[in-house]
Amino acid sequence: MNLVANVYRGEAVESTHLGHVAVVDANGNLLYSYGDPLRQTFARSSMKPLQAIPVIETGTADHYGLEPADLSLCCASHSGEPRHRSRAMKMLDCAGQPEEVLQCGTHVPRDEESYKELIRAGKPLTPIYSNCSGKHSGMIATAVHMGEEVATYHLPEHPVQQRILDVVSDLTSYPKEEIALGTDGCGVPVHRLPLAHYAWAYAKMAKPEVISNHERRQAVIRITDAMIAHPEMVGGNNRYCTDLMTAFAGRIFGKAGAESVYCLGDRQTGIGVAVKIEDGGPRAIYAAVNEVLRQLGIGTDGPLEKLAEYTNPPVKNMSGHVVGRIETTFTLQSANTSLGV
């Protein structure tokens, strides 16, 4: 049983979470693992940094003068804060497109004050509040720049999505024809492949000199530089992605995915990490990621202390009193095997 974390109420275990971990270097060597590192997994929004690469490769970013903060927002599952919404609208405006072309749907934003302002003003939620509006705005801008049909940019057969599929296959070193597609929560294709190959992609992005294609290498550098320079755009206030990159101050870039996935790249060691919690619940994922970093000796000199609220976090009742805790329970196993080409 691949037990990753126990949830305690008092000193009794009330619930458990199973999970999987893969740690891979930029050459495709599986260094450490836990559970099944080859578990077929939808990485969900952890793929956004890869999905943003064609925004640069097509010349869209330069054509519209997109700034690093805009590129970071293309990688985001943002909180719907004013700074997020304004940049997403800016990208749409640059492409001459109205908000209505967004196909991401809408939901209550994580930023409560923004939602309260809407209620007070008697206005409805719109797609710009979606946590994926930055990604979709980048896709729309790319379609416009390339002279492609805009209304169908989200469909699998559209050139926007085909370019993304090519990038995913290349950086994960996984055959394009073997990548299964589903539909993500925001309506665009989501890719399913072995967990370790996501870690490999993040390792390549952490050590871009292994990427032979010069244009792709430069695009990867711009994307990861943007995420690290503007972590507030990737998540927002009190969000793990933002806090992780802030704490590591240029060393690590990371991105969460729905159904409890997390991927990160470490620029210092050139390794990538991918974690999946089996039940898809979010409460154990960040504690698990912090524990992986601790076991790898990454951030033990200070950054992990800044992320202490995510490490074995307390369980609180409705009055705010601590009544339990979440405690990680796993140990990484040395693997030293190659994922192949």
Side-chain angles (χ1 to χ4, degrees), residues 34-330:
Y34 183 76
D36 180 8
L38 299 180
R39 181 194 189 278
Q40 289 285 336
T41 303
F42 287 112
R44 305 294 296 273
S45 287
S46 289
M47 283 293 93
K48 283 177 177 174
L50 282 73
Q51 291 170 308
I53 288 171
V55 178
I56 296 173
E57 290 184 338
T58 58
T60 301
D62 291 337
H63 178 76
Y64 292 122
L66 300 187
E67 299 173 325
D70 301 317
L71 296 176
S72 186
L73 188 70
C74 288
C75 305
S77 297
H78 64 73
S79 295
E81 298 166 13
R83 57 187 171 183
H84 302 137
R85 306 194 310 270
S86 64
R87 283 200 176 270
M89 282 302 306
K90 169 195 166 186
M91 285 191 281
L92 290 175
D93 289 342
C94 286
Q97 297 296 310
E99 182 182 355
E100 289 73 23
V101 302
L102 288 169
Q103 296 292 326
C104 52
T106 193
H107 56 76
V108 174
R110 190 180 292 259
D111 181 41
E112 292 184 5
E113 185 54 38
S114 290
Y115 187 44
K116 290 176 181 177
E117 287 178 2
L118 269 180
I119 294 173
R120 287 193 290 265
K123 296 180 179 179
L125 278 170
T126 63
I128 207 71
Y129 286 84
S130 164
N131 74 89
C132 295
S133 64
K135 175 180 75 173
H136 280 249
S137 296
M139 292 176 177
I140 290 165
T142 300
V144 173
H145 175 61
M146 297 299 288
E148 297 160 354
E149 170 63 45
V150 174
T152 57
Y153 75 88
H154 60 298
L155 299 180
E157 62 273 14
H158 194 281
V160 165
Q161 302 305 329
Q162 287 298 306
R163 284 188 289 267
I164 289 170
L165 181 59
D166 287 339
V167 170
V168 171
S169 176
D170 178 37
L171 290 185
T172 62
S173 292
Y174 200 71
K176 179 179 176 180
E177 62 274 12
E178 295 182 23
I179 296 176
L181 297 181
T183 304
D184 215 333
C186 64
V188 299
V190 61
H191 313 90
R192 182 176 182 262
L193 50 131
L195 186 69
H197 284 262
Y198 296 124
W200 193 355
Y202 270 73
K204 290 180 185 179
M205 292 190 290
K207 191 176 181 181
E209 56 265 34
V210 304
I211 301 172
S212 59
N213 182 300
H214 175 74
E215 291 184 356
R216 181 145 300 164
R217 181 167 64 250
Q218 294 306 308
V220 163
I221 292 170
R222 285 180 66 180
I223 288 293
T224 55
D225 280 351
M227 292 174 70
I228 284 172
H230 296 280
E232 75 284 354
M233 303 310 295
V234 178
N237 293 326
N238 302 312
R239 299 287 302 280
Y240 182 78
C241 289
T242 298
D243 293 345
L244 173 74
M245 289 185 279
T246 300
F248 277 92
R251 176 174 178 176
I252 282 180
F253 59 94
K255 184 66 191 71
E259 292 299 312
S260 208
V261 176
Y262 206 89
C263 296
L264 64 84
D266 176 19
R267 285 176 151 184
Q268 184 169 310
T269 62
I271 65 171
V273 174
V275 182
K276 165 67 179 176
I277 303 300
E278 187 66 34
D279 60 28
R283 64 182 173 183
I285 185 64
Y286 304 137
V289 174
N290 278 6
E291 178 60 15
V292 170
L293 293 173
R294 186 194 69 78
Q295 291 187 32
L296 294 174
I298 298 173
T300 53
D301 55 348
L304 285 178
E305 293 180 8
K306 298 178 181 179
L307 298 168
E309 65 181 288
Y310 300 101
T311 302
N312 295 337
V315 174
K316 297 181 179 181
N317 66 12
M318 299 302 290
S319 298
H321 300 130
V322 175
V323 297
R325 67 190 184 280
I326 299 172
E327 190 173 288
T328 52
T329 61
F330 64 94

